[in-house]
Amino acid sequence: DQQVKQNSPSLSVQEGRISILNCDYTNSMFDYFLWYKKYPAEGPTFLISISSIKDKNEDGRFTVFLNKSAKHLSLHIVPSQPGDSAVYFCAAGKDTDKLIFGTGTRLQVFP
Amino acid sequence: SAVISQKPSRDICQRGTSLTIQCQVDSQVTMMFWYRQQPGQSLTLIATANQGSEATYESGFVIDKFPISRPNLTFSTLTVSNMSPEDSSIYLCSVEDLGNEQYFGPGTRLTVT
């Protein structure tokens, strides 16, 4: 039973355009959500997070949106840059409990 | 933030042998975690290693197969015992700081032949 799902294994976006990565979860008890970026041969790097009391959090080019009723969150990258090409994992947790990760979406930003 | 190093970065091991992976953090942290990422799959938590207590293992993982040591607040080891090809994976050490932000090591790529 996969509690955190990323249904798109890959996404290809042109440089300068918006990248939208989606994530769905099933456990309504999750109260914080995170996005990680992972380059090949490196560990995941924390990108941005959001708690369940908010519906939007913005940090530079990265914005995370949370729709609790739909149990859905998304990561928007605007404008997309070639250096954003990586695998993006969403993760969810409750309090300080362990994080549950999605399977990742590979983003490729082409010139 | 926390800077994490892992040794070895990669290894190729024979079936039936064991490998110990080391994780070193540049600051004292209470919570350390060990994850596994098998090819094409998500990150999966193996266990939580807190200093001064036994590691807490997730469902599907047992101490005999993945013994963990946590001798102090900056260091931990994970041993993959009696390896089989199914253990081929990337193993990642992770820590959580006081702000509940989580940081990952670069990973250890293990191939079992």
Side-chain angles (χ1 to χ4, degrees):
Chain A
D1 176 30
Q2 199 163 347
Q3 296 186 62
V4 179
K5 298 179 184 178
Q6 292 176 256
N7 292 319
S8 298
S10 64
L11 176 67
S12 189
V13 173
Q14 188 172 30
E15 181 178 6
R17 303 245 178 175
I18 184 171
S19 295
I20 300 177
L21 297 100
N22 294 304
C23 180
D24 297 293
Y25 61 95
T26 57
N27 189 342
S28 59
M29 300 299 289
F30 289 143
D31 57 10
Y32 71 103
F33 306 87
L34 308 92
W35 283 94
Y36 288 84
K37 180 169 71 174
K38 185 181 185 299
Y39 292 117
E42 295 183 14
T45 304
F46 170 76
L47 201 56
I48 192 169
S49 66
I50 189 168
S51 78
S52 59
I53 63 173
K54 293 186 174 182
D55 54 20
K56 177 183 175 181
N57 188 24
E58 190 172 352
D59 183 2
R61 296 186 298 114
F62 303 92
T63 303
V64 56
F65 295 92
L66 176 63
N67 183 334
K68 289 187 289 294
S69 61
K71 296 192 180 68
H72 177 84
L73 68 155
S74 60
L75 175 68
H76 292 210
I77 307 174
V78 182
S80 302
Q81 299 173 355
D84 295 329
S85 297
V87 178
Y88 289 79
F89 290 95
C90 70
K94 179 184 179 306
D95 299 328
T96 56
D97 208 348
K98 65 176 189 253
L99 290 176
I100 310 291
F101 285 83
T103 50
T105 296
R106 182 176 301 278
L107 172 66
Q108 183 171 3
V109 180
F110 58 93
Chain B
S1 65
V3 177
I4 306 170
S5 60
Q6 284 184 234
K7 288 183 184 180
S9 58
R10 58 176 62 229
D11 207 342
I12 301 174
C13 301
Q14 287 193 339
R15 180 197 300 260
T17 62
S18 298
L19 176 72
T20 296
I21 303 168
Q22 299 179 6
C23 176
Q24 180 75 52
V25 191
D26 69 341
S27 57
Q28 294 185 339
V29 292
T30 301
M31 301 189 75
M32 293 182 78
F33 308 89
W34 285 98
Y35 286 85
R36 178 172 76 179
Q37 185 182 11
Q38 292 178 302
Q41 298 189 26
S42 179
L43 289 163
T44 303
L45 181 64
I46 297 172
T48 302
N50 293 330
Q51 195 267 340
S53 62
E54 284 197 7
T56 303
Y57 289 83
E58 297 301 308
S59 175
F61 298 97
V62 294
I63 188 171
D64 290 345
K65 175 68 175 176
F66 298 100
I68 288 172
S69 78
R70 182 79 199 274
N72 56 54
L73 292 174
T74 64
F75 187 79
S76 177
T77 67
L78 169 76
T79 299
V80 186
S81 304
N82 188 24
M83 287 183 283
S84 66
E86 292 71 34
D87 295 320
S88 297
S89 183
I90 298 173
Y91 291 84
L92 294 127
C93 168
S94 172
V95 304
E96 185 173 295
D97 68 9
L98 293 176
N100 295 128
E101 287 205 11
Q102 195 160 1
Y103 303 90
F104 288 83
T108 296
R109 183 180 292 273
L110 170 63
T111 302
V112 183
T113 60

